[in-house]
Amino acid sequence: DAGVIQSPRHEVTEMGQEVTLRCKPISGHDYLFWYRQTMMRGLELLIYFNNNVPIDDSGMPEDRFSAKMPNASFSTLKIQPSEPRDSAVYFCASSLERVGTGGADTQYFGPGTRLTVL
Amino acid sequence: SQQGEEDPQALSIQEGENATMNCSYKTSINNLQWYRQNSGRGLVHLILIRSNEREKHSGRLRVTLDTSKKSSSLLITASRAADTASYFCATRERGGADGLTFGKGTHLIIQP
């Protein structure tokens, strides 16, 4: 299995530009998560999907952030317009639903996208 | 918000020694997971322990969970230079959302 795939691996953009981050989860996984990592705040959950449906987006910092999952094998995180404080590493993770009790189990992380907004 | 808090923030030991990292959390949990992150890389899942488990082993890793104290420990035995990394505990809250809440991590340095 190729694992979780994220693209691009690095993105440098100027303030005000639109940024789109992409994620391909592990095939067959029911859950997809987007996290952000910064030195100041550590790892934070932004949003997650179950069977392509957004379940909890309470971690999305503002309306400038949006995420979609049009099908089971693809998700995007969009920032429009981007600001310097959005600079961070953005991780996508996926997991299976735990048999029996349900809910997400072990999460498998992609390599991340390092975003720099100038 | 940060749920897990790792202790210590940084740890430097000699190769071959054992490394112990601790994690405390605040709410009732469904499970607790430990992840490793090498510099500039993604997170690698190490081990998951459920709330009804007290101890779990995986190779050179030993994890304990004390739900009464809301704490967990990760022991790496016979450390190797390749174990140098940051280690994070992450909790999934009981009855809560499926996302994980991460601590700030322990940076482990293994001196050759």
Side-chain angles (χ1 to χ4, degrees):
Chain A
D1 197 323
V4 176
I5 299 171
Q6 292 187 247
S7 64
R9 294 293 308 278
H10 301 273
E11 177 82 27
V12 180
T13 190
E14 293 190 346
M15 183 173 64
Q17 296 297 306
E18 177 180 296
V19 175
T20 300
L21 311 181
R22 297 173 176 79
C23 174
K24 177 179 169 55
I26 294 172
S27 178
H29 279 194
D30 308 286
Y31 288 85
L32 184 139
F33 303 83
W34 283 100
Y35 292 88
R36 178 173 69 175
Q37 185 178 35
T38 62
M39 288 294 295
M40 290 297 295
R41 299 176 65 87
L43 275 152
E44 303 174 285
L45 175 68
L46 299 177
I47 185 172
Y48 78 94
F49 298 81
N50 179 213
N51 294 322
N52 312 340
V53 176
I55 302 300
D56 183 358
D57 65 354
S58 59
M60 296 285 261
E62 356 183 331
D63 291 345
R64 297 184 297 106
F65 287 69
S66 63
K68 293 182 180 179
M69 192 165 185
N71 56 63
S73 59
F74 184 65
S75 177
T76 59
L77 178 67
K78 186 176 293 186
I79 308 173
Q80 165 63 18
S82 58
E83 297 183 2
R85 59 193 168 119
D86 302 330
S87 296
V89 181
Y90 291 81
F91 289 103
C92 176
S94 70
S95 72
L96 282 167
E97 180 153 355
R98 186 181 173 210
V99 175
T101 60
D105 213 347
T106 300
Q107 294 185 22
Y108 297 89
F109 282 72
T113 294
R114 183 173 296 275
L115 173 65
T116 303
V117 183
L118 303 174
Chain B
S1 62
Q2 294 294 328
Q3 162 86 309
E5 294 290 338
E6 290 88 344
D7 167 47
Q9 289 187 327
L11 179 62
S12 181
I13 61 173
Q14 294 294 316
E15 194 167 20
E17 294 180 340
N18 295 341
T20 299
M21 289 159 272
N22 302 297
C23 168
S24 60
Y25 56 91
K26 297 174 183 165
T27 64
S28 294
I29 62 171
N30 179 289
N31 64 61
L32 184 146
Q33 304 179 37
W34 285 90
Y35 287 83
R36 183 187 73 222
Q37 185 178 35
N38 290 86
S39 180
R41 308 291 290 274
L43 286 92
V44 174
H45 181 263
L46 296 176
I47 197 164
L48 179 153
I49 187 165
R50 303 196 190 280
S51 60
N52 61 351
E53 298 175 313
R54 292 296 167 260
E55 187 171 314
K56 208 161 182 181
H57 297 256
S58 176
R60 294 185 295 114
L61 305 180
R62 173 179 170 255
V63 170
T64 62
L65 179 64
D66 187 335
T67 53
S68 66
K69 295 181 179 178
K70 291 186 167 57
S71 67
S72 173
S73 68
L74 171 67
L75 168 68
I76 304 173
T77 60
S79 64
R80 306 168 181 168
D83 294 329
T84 294
S86 291
Y87 292 81
F88 296 88
C89 71
T91 54
R92 184 185 158 211
E93 291 186 31
R94 180 181 298 281
D98 293 288
L100 296 174
T101 304
F102 284 83
K104 289 283 182 76
T106 292
H107 185 53
L108 175 65
I109 297 173
I110 308 298
Q111 306 279 2

